[in-house]
Amino acid sequence: MLNLFAAASLALLQQLDQSTVLAHGEVAEPCIAMQPGDRLEFDFKASASVDFNLHYHSDSGVDFPVDVKSVRSKEAVYTAPFEQTYCLMWTNRGSAKIELQYHYRVSRPES
């Protein structure tokens, strides 16, 4: 019951469902501006292994809250600790084209 209440108190800010084909070396990289406390829910499935990360650029370089190699699917939730533009990024390191399907939604706690 608590989860239903928590879900009801979030305002949907952005949502995307996408399918794409990545050739060898290609990337997909949607970026999302988020505020502290914004919640990013994401999942994906690929026809072959990809490298995946969630990253942002800072004064010290590129920071990776999530960084996984050679994965075909993942589902997770990330809560932004501070205002930043965060990027989801998939890289095809294989030699053949792959199909990638991903979904994300960004919500903000209502006050």
Side-chain angles (χ1 to χ4, degrees), residues 55-64 82 84-85:
H55 70 272
Y56 60 90
H57 299 264
S58 67
D59 292 340
S60 61
V62 181
D63 295 301
F64 297 89
F82 44 81
Q84 187 60 262
T85 298

Side-chain angles (χ1 to χ4, degrees), residues 12 15 18 20 32 34 43 47 55 90 105-107 110:
L12 179 64
Q15 182 169 292
Q18 184 74 39
T20 189
I32 308 132
M34 296 174 63
D43 62 82
S47 60
H55 70 272
W90 296 267
R105 65 184 278 152
V106 180
S107 53
E110 294 180 330

Side-chain angles (χ1 to χ4, degrees), residues 30-105:
C31 297
I32 308 132
M34 296 174 63
Q35 299 292 319
D38 284 0
R39 177 182 165 110
L40 171 63
E41 300 173 55
F42 63 89
D43 62 82
F44 70 88
K45 291 182 183 172
S47 60
S49 294
V50 293
D51 289 352
F52 169 76
N53 69 68
L54 172 67
H55 70 272
Y56 60 90
H57 299 264
S58 67
D59 292 340
S60 61
V62 181
D63 295 301
F64 297 89
V66 179
D67 192 10
V68 291
K69 307 294 184 205
S70 193
V71 63
R72 291 184 66 170
S73 65
K74 185 165 182 63
E75 181 176 339
V77 176
Y78 178 77
T79 302
F82 44 81
E83 181 178 351
Q84 187 60 262
T85 298
Y86 296 86
C87 298
L88 299 156
M89 186 168 147
W90 296 267
T91 304
N92 178 6
R93 302 261 185 232
S95 58
K97 290 181 181 178
I98 62 157
E99 295 180 21
L100 172 67
Q101 296 178 333
Y102 63 90
H103 166 82
Y104 71 80
R105 65 184 278 152

